[in-house]
mmCIF file with all atom_site columns, all heavy atoms in Angstrom:
data_model
loop_
_atom_site.group_PDB
_atom_site.id
_atom_site.type_symbol
_atom_site.label_atom_id
_atom_site.label_alt_id
_atom_site.label_comp_id
_atom_site.label_asym_id
_atom_site.label_entity_id
_atom_site.label_seq_id
_atom_site.pdbx_PDB_ins_code
_atom_site.Cartn_x
_atom_site.Cartn_y
_atom_site.Cartn_z
_atom_site.occupancy
_atom_site.B_iso_or_equiv
_atom_site.pdbx_formal_charge
_atom_site.auth_seq_id
_atom_site.auth_comp_id
_atom_site.auth_asym_id
_atom_site.auth_atom_id
_atom_site.pdbx_PDB_model_num
ATOM 1  N N   . VAL A 1 48 ? 92.785  77.823 3.846   1.00 98.00 ? 48 VAL A N   1
ATOM 2  C CA  . VAL A 1 48 ? 93.518  78.692 2.930   1.00 98.00 ? 48 VAL A CA  1
ATOM 3  C C   . VAL A 1 48 ? 94.392  77.762 2.104   1.00 98.00 ? 48 VAL A C   1
ATOM 4  O O   . VAL A 1 48 ? 95.021  76.853 2.641   1.00 98.00 ? 48 VAL A O   1
ATOM 5  C CB  . VAL A 1 48 ? 94.387  79.713 3.714   1.00 98.00 ? 48 VAL A CB  1
ATOM 6  C CG1 . VAL A 1 48 ? 95.255  80.517 2.770   1.00 98.00 ? 48 VAL A CG1 1
ATOM 7  C CG2 . VAL A 1 48 ? 93.504  80.622 4.552   1.00 98.00 ? 48 VAL A CG2 1
ATOM 8  N N   . VAL A 1 49 ? 94.425  77.982 0.798   1.00 98.00 ? 49 VAL A N   1
ATOM 9  C CA  . VAL A 1 49 ? 95.114  77.059 -0.100  1.00 98.00 ? 49 VAL A CA  1
ATOM 10 C C   . VAL A 1 49 ? 96.374  77.695 -0.680  1.00 98.00 ? 49 VAL A C   1
ATOM 11 O O   . VAL A 1 49 ? 96.324  78.746 -1.321  1.00 98.00 ? 49 VAL A O   1
ATOM 12 C CB  . VAL A 1 49 ? 94.202  76.600 -1.250  1.00 98.00 ? 49 VAL A CB  1
ATOM 13 C CG1 . VAL A 1 49 ? 94.936  75.641 -2.169  1.00 98.00 ? 49 VAL A CG1 1
ATOM 14 C CG2 . VAL A 1 49 ? 92.937  75.956 -0.698  1.00 98.00 ? 49 VAL A CG2 1
ATOM 15 N N   . HIS A 1 50 ? 97.495  77.035 -0.421  1.00 98.00 ? 50 HIS A N   1
ATOM 16 C CA  . HIS A 1 50 ? 98.808  77.417 -0.937  1.00 98.00 ? 50 HIS A CA  1
ATOM 17 C C   . HIS A 1 50 ? 99.214  76.331 -1.926  1.00 98.00 ? 50 HIS A C   1
ATOM 18 O O   . HIS A 1 50 ? 99.077  75.155 -1.639  1.00 98.00 ? 50 HIS A O   1
ATOM 19 C CB  . HIS A 1 50 ? 99.778  77.483 0.238   1.00 98.00 ? 50 HIS A CB  1
ATOM 20 C CG  . HIS A 1 50 ? 101.200 77.773 -0.126  1.00 98.00 ? 50 HIS A CG  1
ATOM 21 N ND1 . HIS A 1 50 ? 102.130 78.108 0.816   1.00 98.00 ? 50 HIS A ND1 1
ATOM 22 C CD2 . HIS A 1 50 ? 101.874 77.747 -1.300  1.00 98.00 ? 50 HIS A CD2 1
ATOM 23 C CE1 . HIS A 1 50 ? 103.296 78.295 0.237   1.00 98.00 ? 50 HIS A CE1 1
ATOM 24 N NE2 . HIS A 1 50 ? 103.166 78.066 -1.045  1.00 98.00 ? 50 HIS A NE2 1
ATOM 25 N N   . MET A 1 51 ? 99.701  76.734 -3.097  1.00 98.00 ? 51 MET A N   1
ATOM 26 C CA  . MET A 1 51 ? 100.156 75.764 -4.092  1.00 98.00 ? 51 MET A CA  1
ATOM 27 C C   . MET A 1 51 ? 101.570 76.115 -4.514  1.00 98.00 ? 51 MET A C   1
ATOM 28 O O   . MET A 1 51 ? 101.893 77.289 -4.700  1.00 98.00 ? 51 MET A O   1
ATOM 29 C CB  . MET A 1 51 ? 99.240  75.752 -5.318  1.00 98.00 ? 51 MET A CB  1
ATOM 30 C CG  . MET A 1 51 ? 99.689  74.763 -6.402  1.00 98.00 ? 51 MET A CG  1
ATOM 31 S SD  . MET A 1 51 ? 98.653  74.808 -7.879  1.00 98.00 ? 51 MET A SD  1
ATOM 32 C CE  . MET A 1 51 ? 97.207  73.947 -7.280  1.00 98.00 ? 51 MET A CE  1
ATOM 33 N N   . GLU A 1 52 ? 102.405 75.085 -4.649  1.00 97.00 ? 52 GLU A N   1
ATOM 34 C CA  . GLU A 1 52 ? 103.743 75.277 -5.196  1.00 97.00 ? 52 GLU A CA  1
ATOM 35 C C   . GLU A 1 52 ? 103.786 74.577 -6.543  1.00 97.00 ? 52 GLU A C   1
ATOM 36 O O   . GLU A 1 52 ? 103.606 73.361 -6.632  1.00 97.00 ? 52 GLU A O   1
ATOM 37 C CB  . GLU A 1 52 ? 104.821 74.724 -4.268  1.00 97.00 ? 52 GLU A CB  1
ATOM 38 C CG  . GLU A 1 52 ? 106.203 75.029 -4.789  1.00 97.00 ? 52 GLU A CG  1
ATOM 39 C CD  . GLU A 1 52 ? 107.301 74.898 -3.761  1.00 97.00 ? 52 GLU A CD  1
ATOM 40 O OE1 . GLU A 1 52 ? 107.039 75.129 -2.569  1.00 97.00 ? 52 GLU A OE1 1
ATOM 41 O OE2 . GLU A 1 52 ? 108.428 74.566 -4.168  1.00 97.00 ? 52 GLU A OE2 1
ATOM 42 N N   . SER A 1 53 ? 104.017 75.365 -7.593  1.00 96.00 ? 53 SER A N   1
ATOM 43 C CA  . SER A 1 53 ? 103.956 74.881 -8.962  1.00 96.00 ? 53 SER A CA  1
ATOM 44 C C   . SER A 1 53 ? 105.233 75.234 -9.710  1.00 96.00 ? 53 SER A C   1
ATOM 45 O O   . SER A 1 53 ? 105.891 76.225 -9.400  1.00 96.00 ? 53 SER A O   1
ATOM 46 C CB  . SER A 1 53 ? 102.756 75.530 -9.670  1.00 96.00 ? 53 SER A CB  1
ATOM 47 O OG  . SER A 1 53 ? 102.803 75.332 -11.064 1.00 96.00 ? 53 SER A OG  1
ATOM 48 N N   . ASN A 1 54 ? 105.536 74.452 -10.755 1.00 93.00 ? 54 ASN A N   1
ATOM 49 C CA  . ASN A 1 54 ? 106.693 74.795 -11.580 1.00 93.00 ? 54 ASN A CA  1
ATOM 50 C C   . ASN A 1 54 ? 106.346 75.853 -12.627 1.00 93.00 ? 54 ASN A C   1
ATOM 51 O O   . ASN A 1 54 ? 107.213 76.333 -13.338 1.00 93.00 ? 54 ASN A O   1
ATOM 52 C CB  . ASN A 1 54 ? 107.310 73.550 -12.228 1.00 93.00 ? 54 ASN A CB  1
ATOM 53 C CG  . ASN A 1 54 ? 106.398 72.862 -13.214 1.00 93.00 ? 54 ASN A CG  1
ATOM 54 O OD1 . ASN A 1 54 ? 105.460 73.444 -13.749 1.00 93.00 ? 54 ASN A OD1 1
ATOM 55 N ND2 . ASN A 1 54 ? 106.670 71.598 -13.462 1.00 93.00 ? 54 ASN A ND2 1
#
Side-chain angles (χ1 to χ4, degrees):
V48 174
V49 180
H50 176 168
M51 179 183 285
E52 185 162 330
S53 167
N54 65 21

